[in-house]
Amino acid sequence: MKAAYSYLIGIFLTVLLFLACQNEESLIGEIFLDNNNHDIFILDEDLIHITAFSAFEDSITAQSSVNLLGSYMDPYFGLSNASFCFQITLPNNEISFNASSITNIALNLPYNNFYGDSLAEFDIIISTLTESINSNDSLEFFSNQAFSANVLTTINSVDLSLIADSAALNIELPTSFGLSEILNLSSSELENTEAFTESFYGFKIETEPILSNNGAIMYFNLSDENAALNITYIDNENVEQSVSFPTTGTKLNHFTHDYTNTIIENTDSLIFLQSMGGTFCELDFSFLESLQDSGYIVNNAELSLSVFEEDLFFQRPERITLIENNDNDLFPIEGLSGGFLDEVNQTYTFNITQHIQKILTEYHNPMCRLYTYSRTSNADRVILNNTSEYPIKLKLVLIK
């Protein structure tokens, strides 16, 4: 009898404890571990309110390890164009050529990769700069800066596949160019690279806009040892000579975007990310301010964003990145990991545990930005969901 009585008392106490936990869960989420004095629970999704909207980036740095060239029309992002300027430098100081004529002159630009349509075809325009792009420690160039230039030559119908197969873009220049402009400059102008680049400013390379989604952006490595202006010439003693001018000077990307008639500014249900100084997303975690005096410890915080799968026109980037934004000053997020595309689930996930903890306990800035990864060096773009059916998700595991 006593055993039965004790059993009933035990059941009664268990029911009371369960109801108490249920009441707690209705306020903060699902408790899945009761560890003596601490509960570990997942914050209820109804308490998570992340504000997100896309915005246009004014510009990015023009200097990059990769130079971009090409054009494409995107049904969501509009028209994007990429071009670049670059200097050539002297192979040696205090050099002289004594050239009488040029028999061959060509640019060799090593190719790395592309973004867009592999069947793209380009009309490529080569120009000589009419203003200096010499740089110094106090001078910074931006991707929306354009430099004046005179057209030297145009090459029509250049197939991307041929460039990829040869791993380089080789451009034959007119042999009427290069004698007075480069080889027969004065001895003071050929004394060193600094003097030379103030006499011959360099080249600009661009393509005609491609007004279809059959375009592409190509990636070139002008720091490669094979990147050069190669000249074969006849000297004053009628001997054939050759010389290579490496492209080791200043190299500047230039990007333009035309978002006319796009929906980027008119919808919050999609997030638009684009490299080349295109678009980014502002994320506001201010909802966490209501939890700042709670004493919660963040056990885990995972931010997950799903891909808008109706966007089938271009490749999805392997990675995106998240950065802290404090009044337009950008900082790396402490302890951040992830951001890679899960190709099975078509999602990008970040672990932001340390950052969320700082917001809760240190009253840290709750504003962040989403960008494509290495946005100065590629043409990536992606559209992410922010709908009621596919919202931005934050799985927040807290300890109380």
Side-chain angles (χ1 to χ4, degrees):
M1 184 69 179
K2 287 182 179 179
Y5 179 75
S6 298
Y7 177 72
L8 289 173
I9 291 294
I11 291 176
F12 178 72
L13 292 174
T14 301
V15 169
L16 284 179
L17 179 62
F18 175 77
L19 291 174
C21 289
Q22 284 291 92
N23 184 57
E24 182 80 2
E25 289 168 20
S26 66
L27 294 175
I28 58 177
E30 179 187 355
I31 296 175
F32 59 87
L33 177 62
D34 182 0
N35 184 15
N36 295 327
N37 297 324
H38 301 288
D39 293 328
I40 302 179
F41 63 93
I42 301 174
L43 190 69
D44 193 291
E45 290 183 0
D46 291 338
L47 300 178
I48 296 174
H49 304 286
I50 302 171
T51 303
F53 62 89
S54 302
F56 300 117
E57 194 161 20
D58 177 61
S59 64
I60 53 178
T61 180
Q63 293 170 297
S64 170
S65 60
V66 180
N67 291 106
L68 281 64
L69 176 67
S71 174
Y72 67 80
M73 174 67 80
D74 188 307
Y76 293 100
F77 288 86
L79 178 64
S80 294
N81 299 300
S83 60
F84 60 90
C85 302
F86 62 98
Q87 294 174 327
I88 58 172
T89 57
L90 292 178
N92 298 294
N93 289 335
E94 298 180 350
I95 196 169
S96 63
F97 301 102
N98 300 315
S100 60
S101 64
I102 291 175
T103 57
N104 184 266
I105 179 170
L107 281 166
N108 186 69
L109 307 178
Y111 162 90
N112 274 349
N113 209 336
F114 77 98
Y115 185 84
D117 190 341
S118 62
L119 301 178
E121 187 178 272
F122 304 96
D123 294 332
I124 299 176
I125 305 163
I126 315 297
S127 304
T128 54
L129 293 172
T130 57
E131 58 181 308
S132 174
I133 58 171
N134 268 337
S135 62
N136 55 57
D137 293 339
S138 62
L139 182 63
E140 186 173 1
F141 295 104
F142 294 94
S143 61
N144 58 355
Q145 289 179 261
F147 295 92
S148 59
N150 292 327
V151 174
L152 181 59
T153 188
T154 300
I155 307 171
N156 296 317
S157 304
V158 180
D159 290 335
L160 171 57
S161 59
L162 295 179
I163 298 171
D165 288 344
S166 61
L169 173 61
N170 193 272
I171 303 171
E172 297 284 339
L173 302 179
T175 55
S176 58
F177 167 77
L179 200 60
S180 60
E181 295 87 352
I182 298 174
L183 296 184
N184 287 344
L185 290 172
S186 68
S187 59
S188 61
E189 292 169 316
L190 295 174
E191 182 177 359
N192 54 48
T193 287
E194 184 178 357
F196 174 71
T197 53
E198 283 297 338
S199 300
F200 180 71
Y201 297 133
F203 294 97
K204 177 181 180 180
I205 181 167
E206 58 193 321
T207 67
E208 292 287 354
I210 298 177
L211 303 178
S212 73
N213 55 22
N214 300 118
I217 305 290
M218 298 175 285
Y219 305 159
F220 294 93
N221 179 13
L222 270 68
S223 297
D224 187 285
E225 61 181 8
N226 295 313
L229 174 70
N230 300 309
I231 303 177
T232 303
Y233 65 96
I234 306 298
D235 67 17
N236 291 337
E237 296 180 356
N238 205 33
V239 176
E240 186 176 80
Q241 306 280 0
S242 62
V243 62
S244 294
F245 295 83
T247 60
T248 52
T250 301
K251 298 172 278 287
L252 303 175
N253 285 319
H254 177 64
F255 306 129
T256 64
H257 303 278
D258 184 354
Y259 297 107
T260 303
N261 298 323
T262 65
I263 63 170
I264 294 174
E265 284 187 298
N266 301 319
T267 180
D268 291 329
S269 62
L270 295 173
I271 292 170
F272 298 87
L273 306 181
Q274 186 182 31
S275 294
M276 306 192 307
T279 58
F280 61 91
C281 173
E282 294 277 13
L283 292 179
D284 186 350
F285 293 89
S286 293
F287 79 93
L288 291 168
E289 293 173 354
S290 64
L291 305 176
Q292 284 177 338
D293 296 321
S294 61
Y296 292 143
I297 297 172
V298 182
N299 179 267
N300 192 49
E302 285 190 350
L303 181 70
S304 181
L305 306 103
S306 63
V307 172
F308 177 58
E309 296 202 12
E310 293 180 29
D311 175 28
L312 302 174
F313 293 94
F314 292 91
Q315 306 99 309
R316 288 158 187 168
E318 294 180 0
R319 189 177 184 184
I320 60 175
T321 193
L322 188 68
I323 295 175
E324 181 184 342
N325 171 29
N326 193 347
D327 291 330
N328 292 319
D329 289 328
L330 304 179
F331 304 96
I333 291 179
E334 184 178 350
L336 178 73
S337 63
F340 295 93
L341 176 64
D342 180 337
E343 295 193 10
V344 175
N345 297 310
Q346 290 296 296
T347 56
Y348 296 92
T349 301
F350 296 93
N351 188 296
I352 54 173
T353 302
Q354 289 180 246
H355 189 65
I356 297 298
Q357 185 68 69
K358 288 172 68 177
I359 295 175
L360 291 186
T361 58
E362 300 177 23
Y363 304 96
H364 199 71
N365 166 48
M367 302 298 296
C368 293
R369 281 186 183 177
L370 276 172
Y371 288 102
T372 54
Y373 189 76
S374 296
R375 69 190 191 279
T376 64
S377 304
N378 62 57
D380 287 349
R381 36 78 81 215
V382 68
I383 304 174
L384 305 173
N385 290 306
N386 187 29
T387 63
S388 56
E389 184 178 3
Y390 300 107
I392 300 171
K393 293 183 179 179
L394 178 63
K395 184 178 180 180
L396 188 54
V397 182
L398 300 174
I399 301 175
K400 183 180 181 184

